[in-house]
Amino acid sequence: MGKYWQVLKVGIQNTLVYRVNFLFRATFALVPLTAMVMLWKTIYAGAAGGAVGAYDLAQMISYYLLVTVTDALTAVTEDDWQIAADIKDGLISQFLLKPMDYLWYRLSLFVSGRLVYTAVAATPVTLFILWHREYFVLPPDAATALCFAVSVALTALLNFLTSFTMALLAFWVLEVATFIFILFALEYLAGGHLFPIDILPPGLAEALMYTPFPYMLYFPISVYLGRVQHEALWGGLAMQACWVVAAYALARLVWARGIRRYSAVGG
């Protein structure tokens, strides 16, 4: 485990080189968020009863603020592209000769990237939240905050493992961009980036909860807002953990098949 700790530290040092880029990325990411907040304020101004679904204005704006926070902690940025490049350029060969697991190596780099990005994004995001503090709601209690932290950790693992597996398709195809964009589109729509899933028709929302996508964003935010409690909370965390285990197993399977093919063609 010590070697992966070293990878994490080196990753942090290398990523710090791009801290200004991260600052601009985090700051300009608030522009579409501002537009979304203004849009929902307009929608609520004309909404009967001042609610959309089961959300009042404060809860809805809090939802989108939490999308930004959760994204900073869990989103995969360039990891999938780098993995695909390692495979296409033959750089993966060095990991076949070293006592280092490539999945854990990439996970260490992913964590280092998230730590640096979160640290850099903390200032603009915090200022933005303070600007909208009249709408921002806190978790109901400490137990809810703890469950939110656990769910965010599982979300980060699920996002990474899914992107890792998608990038491994580079063992078979020359360009994985199409597959990555399809995954992104599905996660954006079915994961709760665009709107909370539970404002959809109940049947559709319930069906989506049997897919991994809501557990990539929507579920931890629902935990924070106290919209998932008691049996539903523990059942949701268990389902999220199951998807993480399934994603890990799939990543291992695709890696094993890919390496066999890579070695067979002289990699």
Side-chain angles (χ1 to χ4, degrees):
M1 189 58 69
K3 55 192 172 186
Y4 301 112
W5 176 248
Q6 292 300 320
V7 172
L8 176 65
K9 292 195 293 185
V10 172
I12 291 175
Q13 294 170 4
N14 291 338
T15 309
L16 282 172
V17 175
Y18 305 100
R19 58 188 181 275
V20 176
N21 293 348
F22 285 169
L23 179 60
F24 279 106
R25 180 185 299 177
T27 301
F28 283 101
L30 299 175
V31 175
L33 178 60
T34 301
M36 189 64 73
V37 169
M38 294 174 63
L39 172 64
W40 280 105
K41 285 183 178 180
T42 303
I43 292 173
Y44 273 88
V52 174
Y55 291 82
D56 59 25
L57 179 59
Q59 290 174 325
M60 187 62 78
I61 293 180
S62 288
Y63 180 89
Y64 284 99
L65 295 177
L66 288 166
V67 165
T68 302
V69 173
T70 306
D71 254 348
L73 293 169
T74 67
V76 176
T77 51
E78 299 180 357
D79 299 80
D80 39 14
W81 303 106
Q82 293 171 2
I83 294 167
D86 282 350
I87 295 171
K88 289 189 294 184
D89 297 340
L91 300 178
I92 206 78
S93 298
Q94 61 182 308
F95 294 95
L96 306 181
L97 304 174
K98 296 178 181 179
M100 180 174 290
D101 188 291
Y102 186 69
L103 188 153
W104 285 96
Y105 166 78
R106 293 304 319 187
L107 179 59
S108 300
L109 293 180
F110 168 72
V111 172
S112 68
R114 288 302 89 201
L115 289 174
V116 174
Y117 183 84
T118 301
V120 172
T123 298
V125 171
T126 299
L127 290 175
F128 192 85
I129 290 176
L130 289 175
W131 181 27
H132 294 89
R133 60 187 178 275
E134 60 189 289
Y135 300 108
F136 190 70
V137 299
L138 296 174
D141 48 53
T144 299
L146 178 60
C147 290
F148 169 71
V150 172
S151 185
V152 164
L154 292 172
T155 293
L157 287 173
L158 184 56
N159 284 337
F160 167 77
L161 290 168
T162 304
S163 295
F164 179 86
T165 304
M166 193 63 63
L168 293 184
L169 293 178
F171 281 121
W172 291 273
V173 298
L174 292 176
E175 186 55 65
V176 298
T178 300
F179 300 100
I180 291 174
F181 283 128
I182 289 173
L183 176 65
F184 174 78
L186 288 173
E187 195 270 330
Y188 194 82
L189 291 173
H193 273 89
L194 196 57
F195 46 75
I197 291 174
D198 54 353
I199 69 172
L200 294 171
L204 178 57
E206 184 177 353
L208 286 175
M209 295 307 296
Y210 289 98
T211 72
F213 301 111
Y215 301 98
M216 294 178 172
L217 182 73
Y218 165 76
F219 180 74
I221 296 176
S222 296
V223 172
Y224 178 99
L225 294 174
R227 305 182 69 83
V228 184
Q229 297 180 344
H230 309 304
E231 291 82 1
L233 172 60
W234 303 119
L237 288 173
M239 179 68 78
Q240 190 176 25
C242 287
W243 278 117
V244 170
V245 172
Y248 178 79
L250 181 61
R252 286 299 189 190
L253 176 63
V254 175
W255 169 262
R257 296 285 181 87
I259 284 298
R260 283 203 293 270
R261 185 181 187 281
Y262 181 77
S263 300
V265 297

